[in-house]
PDB file of all heavy atoms in Angstrom:
ATOM      1  N   LYS B   8      92.402 -41.650  23.183  1.00 77.00           N
ATOM      2  CA  LYS B   8      93.429 -41.015  24.041  1.00 77.00           C
ATOM      3  C   LYS B   8      92.765 -40.496  25.313  1.00 77.00           C
ATOM      4  O   LYS B   8      93.327 -40.596  26.406  1.00 77.00           O
ATOM      5  CB  LYS B   8      94.077 -39.862  23.278  1.00 77.00           C
ATOM      6  CG  LYS B   8      95.111 -40.339  22.245  1.00 77.00           C
ATOM      7  CD  LYS B   8      95.694 -39.112  21.554  1.00 77.00           C
ATOM      8  CE  LYS B   8      96.648 -39.527  20.436  1.00 77.00           C
ATOM      9  NZ  LYS B   8      97.056 -38.363  19.653  1.00 77.00           N
ATOM     10  N   ILE B  10      90.025 -41.543  26.793  1.00 84.00           N
ATOM     11  CA  ILE B  10      89.635 -42.589  27.703  1.00 84.00           C
ATOM     12  C   ILE B  10      90.851 -43.187  28.400  1.00 84.00           C
ATOM     13  O   ILE B  10      90.842 -43.416  29.622  1.00 84.00           O
ATOM     14  CB  ILE B  10      88.892 -43.709  26.895  1.00 84.00           C
ATOM     15  CG1 ILE B  10      87.552 -43.161  26.415  1.00 84.00           C
ATOM     16  CG2 ILE B  10      88.671 -44.942  27.779  1.00 84.00           C
ATOM     17  CD1 ILE B  10      86.808 -44.104  25.482  1.00 84.00           C
ATOM     18  N   LEU B  11      91.937 -43.382  27.643  1.00 81.00           N
ATOM     19  CA  LEU B  11      93.133 -43.980  28.240  1.00 81.00           C
ATOM     20  C   LEU B  11      93.727 -43.044  29.281  1.00 81.00           C
ATOM     21  O   LEU B  11      94.296 -43.512  30.277  1.00 81.00           O
ATOM     22  CB  LEU B  11      94.161 -44.296  27.151  1.00 81.00           C
ATOM     23  CG  LEU B  11      93.765 -45.450  26.227  1.00 81.00           C
ATOM     24  CD1 LEU B  11      94.790 -45.577  25.087  1.00 81.00           C
ATOM     25  CD2 LEU B  11      93.687 -46.757  26.997  1.00 81.00           C
ATOM     26  N   ALA B  12      93.640 -41.763  29.028  1.00 81.00           N
ATOM     27  CA  ALA B  12      94.159 -40.808  30.043  1.00 81.00           C
ATOM     28  C   ALA B  12      93.232 -40.720  31.236  1.00 81.00           C
ATOM     29  O   ALA B  12      93.676 -40.474  32.382  1.00 81.00           O
ATOM     30  CB  ALA B  12      94.324 -39.434  29.379  1.00 81.00           C
ATOM     31  N   MET B  13      91.964 -40.868  30.976  1.00 83.00           N
ATOM     32  CA  MET B  13      90.955 -40.700  32.025  1.00 83.00           C
ATOM     33  C   MET B  13      90.968 -41.808  33.056  1.00 83.00           C
ATOM     34  O   MET B  13      90.802 -41.563  34.263  1.00 83.00           O
ATOM     35  CB  MET B  13      89.574 -40.651  31.339  1.00 83.00           C
ATOM     36  CG  MET B  13      88.423 -40.280  32.178  1.00 83.00           C
ATOM     37  SD  MET B  13      86.877 -40.476  31.267  1.00 83.00           S
ATOM     38  CE  MET B  13      86.976 -39.095  30.129  1.00 83.00           C
ATOM     39  N   VAL B  14      91.154 -43.064  32.588  1.00 83.00           N
ATOM     40  CA  VAL B  14      91.023 -44.208  33.481  1.00 83.00           C
ATOM     41  C   VAL B  14      91.950 -44.131  34.701  1.00 83.00           C
ATOM     42  O   VAL B  14      91.480 -44.218  35.851  1.00 83.00           O
ATOM     43  CB  VAL B  14      91.231 -45.528  32.697  1.00 83.00           C
ATOM     44  CG1 VAL B  14      91.387 -46.704  33.612  1.00 83.00           C
ATOM     45  CG2 VAL B  14      90.033 -45.772  31.756  1.00 83.00           C
ATOM     46  N   PRO B  15      93.276 -43.947  34.531  1.00 80.00           N
ATOM     47  CA  PRO B  15      94.144 -43.931  35.697  1.00 80.00           C
ATOM     48  C   PRO B  15      93.807 -42.729  36.621  1.00 80.00           C
ATOM     49  O   PRO B  15      93.940 -42.848  37.850  1.00 80.00           O
ATOM     50  CB  PRO B  15      95.541 -43.838  35.132  1.00 80.00           C
ATOM     51  CG  PRO B  15      95.396 -43.357  33.732  1.00 80.00           C
ATOM     52  CD  PRO B  15      94.054 -43.860  33.283  1.00 80.00           C
ATOM     53  N   TRP B  16      93.356 -41.630  36.020  1.00 82.00           N
ATOM     54  CA  TRP B  16      93.037 -40.458  36.817  1.00 82.00           C
ATOM     55  C   TRP B  16      91.793 -40.727  37.690  1.00 82.00           C
ATOM     56  O   TRP B  16      91.801 -40.405  38.885  1.00 82.00           O
ATOM     57  CB  TRP B  16      92.797 -39.262  35.923  1.00 82.00           C
ATOM     58  CG  TRP B  16      92.593 -37.956  36.720  1.00 82.00           C
ATOM     59  CD1 TRP B  16      93.539 -37.139  37.207  1.00 82.00           C
ATOM     60  CD2 TRP B  16      91.316 -37.400  37.086  1.00 82.00           C
ATOM     61  NE1 TRP B  16      92.973 -36.079  37.894  1.00 82.00           N
ATOM     62  CE2 TRP B  16      91.615 -36.234  37.802  1.00 82.00           C
ATOM     63  CE3 TRP B  16      89.982 -37.789  36.881  1.00 82.00           C
ATOM     64  CZ2 TRP B  16      90.594 -35.413  38.317  1.00 82.00           C
ATOM     65  CZ3 TRP B  16      89.003 -36.969  37.380  1.00 82.00           C
ATOM     66  CH2 TRP B  16      89.290 -35.808  38.116  1.00 82.00           C
ATOM     67  N   ALA B  19      92.735 -43.121  40.465  1.00 81.00           N
ATOM     68  CA  ALA B  19      93.554 -42.451  41.509  1.00 81.00           C
ATOM     69  C   ALA B  19      92.723 -41.530  42.386  1.00 81.00           C
ATOM     70  O   ALA B  19      93.083 -41.300  43.537  1.00 81.00           O
ATOM     71  CB  ALA B  19      94.687 -41.684  40.827  1.00 81.00           C
ATOM     72  N   PHE B  32      88.693 -33.321  31.496  1.00 82.00           N
ATOM     73  CA  PHE B  32      89.017 -33.958  30.220  1.00 82.00           C
ATOM     74  C   PHE B  32      88.255 -33.347  29.034  1.00 82.00           C
ATOM     75  O   PHE B  32      88.291 -33.870  27.945  1.00 82.00           O
ATOM     76  CB  PHE B  32      88.698 -35.462  30.307  1.00 82.00           C
ATOM     77  CG  PHE B  32      89.660 -36.158  31.235  1.00 82.00           C
ATOM     78  CD1 PHE B  32      89.324 -36.368  32.584  1.00 82.00           C
ATOM     79  CD2 PHE B  32      90.932 -36.540  30.821  1.00 82.00           C
ATOM     80  CE1 PHE B  32      90.202 -36.969  33.458  1.00 82.00           C
ATOM     81  CE2 PHE B  32      91.830 -37.140  31.700  1.00 82.00           C
ATOM     82  CZ  PHE B  32      91.463 -37.349  33.018  1.00 82.00           C
ATOM     83  N   TYR B  73      89.904 -51.567  38.199  1.00 74.00           N
ATOM     84  CA  TYR B  73      90.637 -52.376  37.252  1.00 74.00           C
ATOM     85  C   TYR B  73      90.256 -53.826  37.379  1.00 74.00           C
ATOM     86  O   TYR B  73      89.886 -54.317  38.443  1.00 74.00           O
ATOM     87  CB  TYR B  73      92.135 -52.251  37.523  1.00 74.00           C
ATOM     88  CG  TYR B  73      92.761 -50.915  37.182  1.00 74.00           C
ATOM     89  CD1 TYR B  73      93.670 -50.310  38.032  1.00 74.00           C
ATOM     90  CD2 TYR B  73      92.405 -50.239  36.013  1.00 74.00           C
ATOM     91  CE1 TYR B  73      94.218 -49.073  37.713  1.00 74.00           C
ATOM     92  CE2 TYR B  73      92.946 -49.028  35.698  1.00 74.00           C
ATOM     93  CZ  TYR B  73      93.856 -48.425  36.546  1.00 74.00           C
ATOM     94  OH  TYR B  73      94.389 -47.234  36.249  1.00 74.00           O
ATOM     95  N   LEU B  91     105.424 -49.585  24.566  1.00 76.00           N
ATOM     96  CA  LEU B  91     104.569 -49.070  25.651  1.00 76.00           C
ATOM     97  C   LEU B  91     105.021 -47.687  26.094  1.00 76.00           C
ATOM     98  O   LEU B  91     104.229 -46.795  26.324  1.00 76.00           O
ATOM     99  CB  LEU B  91     104.602 -50.040  26.821  1.00 76.00           C
ATOM    100  CG  LEU B  91     103.482 -49.973  27.828  1.00 76.00           C
ATOM    101  CD1 LEU B  91     102.110 -50.025  27.172  1.00 76.00           C
ATOM    102  CD2 LEU B  91     103.626 -51.092  28.855  1.00 76.00           C
ATOM    103  N   VAL B  92     106.359 -47.514  26.168  1.00 74.00           N
ATOM    104  CA  VAL B  92     106.906 -46.207  26.553  1.00 74.00           C
ATOM    105  C   VAL B  92     106.489 -45.151  25.528  1.00 74.00           C
ATOM    106  O   VAL B  92     106.057 -44.022  25.847  1.00 74.00           O
ATOM    107  CB  VAL B  92     108.441 -46.257  26.665  1.00 74.00           C
ATOM    108  CG1 VAL B  92     109.032 -44.859  26.738  1.00 74.00           C
ATOM    109  CG2 VAL B  92     108.838 -47.039  27.909  1.00 74.00           C
ATOM    110  N   ALA B  94     103.924 -45.216  23.444  1.00 73.00           N
ATOM    111  CA  ALA B  94     102.492 -44.923  23.461  1.00 73.00           C
ATOM    112  C   ALA B  94     102.113 -44.142  24.714  1.00 73.00           C
ATOM    113  O   ALA B  94     101.318 -43.197  24.629  1.00 73.00           O
ATOM    114  CB  ALA B  94     101.728 -46.281  23.450  1.00 73.00           C
ATOM    115  N   ALA B  95     102.692 -44.491  25.857  1.00 73.00           N
ATOM    116  CA  ALA B  95     102.367 -43.806  27.086  1.00 73.00           C
ATOM    117  C   ALA B  95     102.852 -42.353  27.057  1.00 73.00           C
ATOM    118  O   ALA B  95     102.207 -41.447  27.610  1.00 73.00           O
ATOM    119  CB  ALA B  95     102.973 -44.541  28.304  1.00 73.00           C
ATOM    120  N   SER B  96     103.987 -42.128  26.385  1.00 70.00           N
ATOM    121  CA  SER B  96     104.497 -40.752  26.272  1.00 70.00           C
ATOM    122  C   SER B  96     103.525 -39.900  25.484  1.00 70.00           C
ATOM    123  O   SER B  96     103.296 -38.724  25.781  1.00 70.00           O
ATOM    124  CB  SER B  96     105.862 -40.750  25.576  1.00 70.00           C
ATOM    125  OG  SER B  96     106.797 -41.533  26.318  1.00 70.00           O
ATOM    126  N   THR B  97     102.908 -40.490  24.459  1.00 68.00           N
ATOM    127  CA  THR B  97     101.903 -39.749  23.684  1.00 68.00           C
ATOM    128  C   THR B  97     100.695 -39.436  24.560  1.00 68.00           C
ATOM    129  O   THR B  97     100.161 -38.325  24.505  1.00 68.00           O
ATOM    130  CB  THR B  97     101.471 -40.598  22.458  1.00 68.00           C
ATOM    131  OG1 THR B  97     102.628 -40.947  21.744  1.00 68.00           O
ATOM    132  CG2 THR B  97     100.502 -39.830  21.595  1.00 68.00           C
ATOM    133  N   LEU B  98     100.302 -40.401  25.349  1.00 69.00           N
ATOM    134  CA  LEU B  98      99.136 -40.196  26.238  1.00 69.00           C
ATOM    135  C   LEU B  98      99.356 -39.089  27.253  1.00 69.00           C
ATOM    136  O   LEU B  98      98.437 -38.374  27.629  1.00 69.00           O
ATOM    137  CB  LEU B  98      98.829 -41.479  26.988  1.00 69.00           C
ATOM    138  CG  LEU B  98      97.897 -42.487  26.283  1.00 69.00           C
ATOM    139  CD1 LEU B  98      97.663 -43.656  27.205  1.00 69.00           C
ATOM    140  CD2 LEU B  98      96.572 -41.815  25.951  1.00 69.00           C
ATOM    141  N   LEU B  99     100.598 -38.947  27.698  1.00 68.00           N
ATOM    142  CA  LEU B  99     100.888 -37.926  28.695  1.00 68.00           C
ATOM    143  C   LEU B  99     100.574 -36.532  28.145  1.00 68.00           C
ATOM    144  O   LEU B  99     100.385 -35.571  28.888  1.00 68.00           O
ATOM    145  CB  LEU B  99     102.354 -37.991  29.125  1.00 68.00           C
ATOM    146  CG  LEU B  99     102.676 -39.027  30.204  1.00 68.00           C
ATOM    147  CD1 LEU B  99     104.161 -39.006  30.507  1.00 68.00           C
ATOM    148  CD2 LEU B  99     101.851 -38.774  31.467  1.00 68.00           C
ATOM    149  N   ALA B 100     100.546 -36.411  26.822  1.00 64.00           N
ATOM    150  CA  ALA B 100     100.252 -35.112  26.223  1.00 64.00           C
ATOM    151  C   ALA B 100      98.753 -34.917  26.059  1.00 64.00           C
ATOM    152  O   ALA B 100      98.317 -33.843  25.661  1.00 64.00           O
ATOM    153  CB  ALA B 100     100.945 -35.018  24.835  1.00 64.00           C
ATOM    154  N   ALA B 101      97.955 -35.939  26.357  1.00 65.00           N
ATOM    155  CA  ALA B 101      96.483 -35.788  26.196  1.00 65.00           C
ATOM    156  C   ALA B 101      95.947 -34.833  27.242  1.00 65.00           C
ATOM    157  O   ALA B 101      96.411 -34.843  28.393  1.00 65.00           O
ATOM    158  CB  ALA B 101      95.831 -37.162  26.339  1.00 65.00           C
ATOM    159  N   GLY B 103      94.176 -33.173  30.204  1.00 66.00           N
ATOM    160  CA  GLY B 103      93.598 -33.689  31.430  1.00 66.00           C
ATOM    161  C   GLY B 103      94.533 -34.679  32.132  1.00 66.00           C
ATOM    162  O   GLY B 103      94.348 -34.974  33.335  1.00 66.00           O
ATOM    163  N   THR B 104      95.534 -35.208  31.439  1.00 68.00           N
ATOM    164  CA  THR B 104      96.439 -36.155  32.079  1.00 68.00           C
ATOM    165  C   THR B 104      97.223 -35.477  33.196  1.00 68.00           C
ATOM    166  O   THR B 104      97.720 -34.379  33.030  1.00 68.00           O
ATOM    167  CB  THR B 104      97.417 -36.736  31.058  1.00 68.00           C
ATOM    168  OG1 THR B 104      96.695 -37.341  30.003  1.00 68.00           O
ATOM    169  CG2 THR B 104      98.348 -37.774  31.682  1.00 68.00           C
ATOM    170  N   ASP B 105      97.308 -36.191  34.323  1.00 69.00           N
ATOM    171  CA  ASP B 105      98.055 -35.657  35.461  1.00 69.00           C
ATOM    172  C   ASP B 105      99.557 -35.906  35.220  1.00 69.00           C
ATOM    173  O   ASP B 105      99.969 -37.092  35.137  1.00 69.00           O
ATOM    174  CB  ASP B 105      97.587 -36.360  36.722  1.00 69.00           C
ATOM    175  CG  ASP B 105      98.251 -35.748  37.976  1.00 69.00           C
ATOM    176  OD1 ASP B 105      99.204 -35.000  37.806  1.00 69.00           O
ATOM    177  OD2 ASP B 105      97.787 -36.093  39.091  1.00 69.00           O
ATOM    178  N   PRO B 106     100.360 -34.863  35.086  1.00 68.00           N
ATOM    179  CA  PRO B 106     101.791 -35.082  34.807  1.00 68.00           C
ATOM    180  C   PRO B 106     102.518 -35.802  35.930  1.00 68.00           C
ATOM    181  O   PRO B 106     103.625 -36.320  35.723  1.00 68.00           O
ATOM    182  CB  PRO B 106     102.332 -33.647  34.597  1.00 68.00           C
ATOM    183  CG  PRO B 106     101.344 -32.775  35.259  1.00 68.00           C
ATOM    184  CD  PRO B 106     100.029 -33.435  35.158  1.00 68.00           C
ATOM    185  N   ASN B 107     101.911 -35.821  37.122  1.00 72.00           N
ATOM    186  CA  ASN B 107     102.562 -36.573  38.221  1.00 72.00           C
ATOM    187  C   ASN B 107     101.707 -37.751  38.659  1.00 72.00           C
ATOM    188  O   ASN B 107     101.905 -38.281  39.744  1.00 72.00           O
ATOM    189  CB  ASN B 107     102.752 -35.612  39.400  1.00 72.00           C
ATOM    190  CG  ASN B 107     103.665 -34.438  39.043  1.00 72.00           C
ATOM    191  OD1 ASN B 107     104.745 -34.626  38.500  1.00 72.00           O
ATOM    192  ND2 ASN B 107     103.226 -33.218  39.310  1.00 72.00           N
ATOM    193  N   GLY B 108     100.744 -38.128  37.808  1.00 76.00           N
ATOM    194  CA  GLY B 108      99.795 -39.193  38.164  1.00 76.00           C
ATOM    195  C   GLY B 108     100.387 -40.558  37.959  1.00 76.00           C
ATOM    196  O   GLY B 108     101.553 -40.739  37.633  1.00 76.00           O
ATOM    197  N   PRO B 109      99.510 -41.542  38.121  1.00 75.00           N
ATOM    198  CA  PRO B 109      99.995 -42.947  38.001  1.00 75.00           C
ATOM    199  C   PRO B 109     100.527 -43.305  36.640  1.00 75.00           C
ATOM    200  O   PRO B 109     101.470 -44.085  36.537  1.00 75.00           O
ATOM    201  CB  PRO B 109      98.711 -43.762  38.303  1.00 75.00           C
ATOM    202  CG  PRO B 109      97.574 -42.818  38.222  1.00 75.00           C
ATOM    203  CD  PRO B 109      98.097 -41.456  38.508  1.00 75.00           C
ATOM    204  N   LEU B 110      99.995 -42.691  35.581  1.00 75.00           N
ATOM    205  CA  LEU B 110     100.508 -42.992  34.256  1.00 75.00           C
ATOM    206  C   LEU B 110     101.960 -42.505  34.131  1.00 75.00           C
ATOM    207  O   LEU B 110     102.833 -43.207  33.621  1.00 75.00           O
ATOM    208  CB  LEU B 110      99.631 -42.300  33.172  1.00 75.00           C
ATOM    209  CG  LEU B 110     100.101 -42.486  31.734  1.00 75.00           C
ATOM    210  CD1 LEU B 110     100.067 -43.971  31.336  1.00 75.00           C
ATOM    211  CD2 LEU B 110      99.206 -41.679  30.781  1.00 75.00           C
ATOM    212  N   ALA B 111     102.167 -41.259  34.591  1.00 76.00           N
ATOM    213  CA  ALA B 111     103.531 -40.712  34.508  1.00 76.00           C
ATOM    214  C   ALA B 111     104.516 -41.512  35.368  1.00 76.00           C
ATOM    215  O   ALA B 111     105.651 -41.769  34.955  1.00 76.00           O
ATOM    216  CB  ALA B 111     103.518 -39.237  34.961  1.00 76.00           C
ATOM    217  N   ARG B 112     104.059 -41.935  36.548  1.00 79.00           N
ATOM    218  CA  ARG B 112     104.963 -42.699  37.429  1.00 79.00           C
ATOM    219  C   ARG B 112     105.265 -44.078  36.821  1.00 79.00           C
ATOM    220  O   ARG B 112     106.403 -44.529  36.873  1.00 79.00           O
ATOM    221  CB  ARG B 112     104.312 -42.848  38.825  1.00 79.00           C
ATOM    222  CG  ARG B 112     104.193 -41.500  39.583  1.00 79.00           C
ATOM    223  CD  ARG B 112     103.958 -41.756  41.054  1.00 79.00           C
ATOM    224  NE  ARG B 112     102.729 -42.521  41.312  1.00 79.00           N
ATOM    225  CZ  ARG B 112     101.516 -41.969  41.422  1.00 79.00           C
ATOM    226  NH1 ARG B 112     101.347 -40.669  41.320  1.00 79.00           N
ATOM    227  NH2 ARG B 112     100.445 -42.723  41.686  1.00 79.00           N
ATOM    228  N   GLY B 113     104.251 -44.690  36.258  1.00 78.00           N
ATOM    229  CA  GLY B 113     104.446 -45.991  35.612  1.00 78.00           C
ATOM    230  C   GLY B 113     105.384 -45.875  34.416  1.00 78.00           C
ATOM    231  O   GLY B 113     106.259 -46.741  34.230  1.00 78.00           O
ATOM    232  N   LEU B 114     105.225 -44.798  33.660  1.00 76.00           N
ATOM    233  CA  LEU B 114     106.087 -44.586  32.511  1.00 76.00           C
ATOM    234  C   LEU B 114     107.544 -44.416  32.948  1.00 76.00           C
ATOM    235  O   LEU B 114     108.453 -44.978  32.328  1.00 76.00           O
ATOM    236  CB  LEU B 114     105.606 -43.377  31.725  1.00 76.00           C
ATOM    237  CG  LEU B 114     106.470 -42.922  30.556  1.00 76.00           C
ATOM    238  CD1 LEU B 114     106.557 -44.009  29.511  1.00 76.00           C
ATOM    239  CD2 LEU B 114     105.884 -41.638  29.936  1.00 76.00           C
ATOM    240  N   ALA B 115     107.732 -43.674  33.993  1.00 77.00           N
ATOM    241  CA  ALA B 115     109.076 -43.436  34.493  1.00 77.00           C
ATOM    242  C   ALA B 115     109.740 -44.752  34.933  1.00 77.00           C
ATOM    243  O   ALA B 115     110.925 -44.992  34.648  1.00 77.00           O
ATOM    244  CB  ALA B 115     109.048 -42.453  35.660  1.00 77.00           C
ATOM    245  N   LYS B 116     108.953 -45.591  35.600  1.00 78.00           N
ATOM    246  CA  LYS B 116     109.519 -46.857  36.059  1.00 78.00           C
ATOM    247  C   LYS B 116     109.874 -47.751  34.855  1.00 78.00           C
ATOM    248  O   LYS B 116     110.922 -48.407  34.833  1.00 78.00           O
ATOM    249  CB  LYS B 116     108.488 -47.582  36.949  1.00 78.00           C
ATOM    250  CG  LYS B 116     108.292 -46.985  38.336  1.00 78.00           C
ATOM    251  CD  LYS B 116     107.216 -47.741  39.070  1.00 78.00           C
ATOM    252  CE  LYS B 116     106.926 -47.067  40.416  1.00 78.00           C
ATOM    253  NZ  LYS B 116     105.747 -47.687  41.081  1.00 78.00           N
ATOM    254  N   LEU B 117     108.987 -47.777  33.875  1.00 76.00           N
ATOM    255  CA  LEU B 117     109.214 -48.624  32.717  1.00 76.00           C
ATOM    256  C   LEU B 117     110.444 -48.131  31.944  1.00 76.00           C
ATOM    257  O   LEU B 117     111.280 -48.925  31.526  1.00 76.00           O
ATOM    258  CB  LEU B 117     107.979 -48.617  31.815  1.00 76.00           C
ATOM    259  CG  LEU B 117     108.038 -49.480  30.567  1.00 76.00           C
ATOM    260  CD1 LEU B 117     108.326 -50.926  30.896  1.00 76.00           C
ATOM    261  CD2 LEU B 117     106.693 -49.406  29.804  1.00 76.00           C
ATOM    262  N   ALA B 118     110.513 -46.785  31.755  1.00 74.00           N
ATOM    263  CA  ALA B 118     111.685 -46.234  31.007  1.00 74.00           C
ATOM    264  C   ALA B 118     112.977 -46.563  31.737  1.00 74.00           C
ATOM    265  O   ALA B 118     113.983 -46.870  31.120  1.00 74.00           O
ATOM    266  CB  ALA B 118     111.511 -44.744  30.820  1.00 74.00           C
TER     267      ALA B 118
END
Side-chain angles (χ1 to χ4, degrees):
Chain B
K8 283 180 185 171
I10 293 173
L11 290 174
M13 188 187 288
V14 167
W16 185 84
F32 293 94
Y73 290 137
L91 199 53
V92 167
S96 301
T97 304
L98 272 182
L99 278 179
T104 302
D105 184 349
N107 299 310
L110 178 63
R112 293 197 300 274
L114 174 61
K116 287 178 185 172
L117 182 56

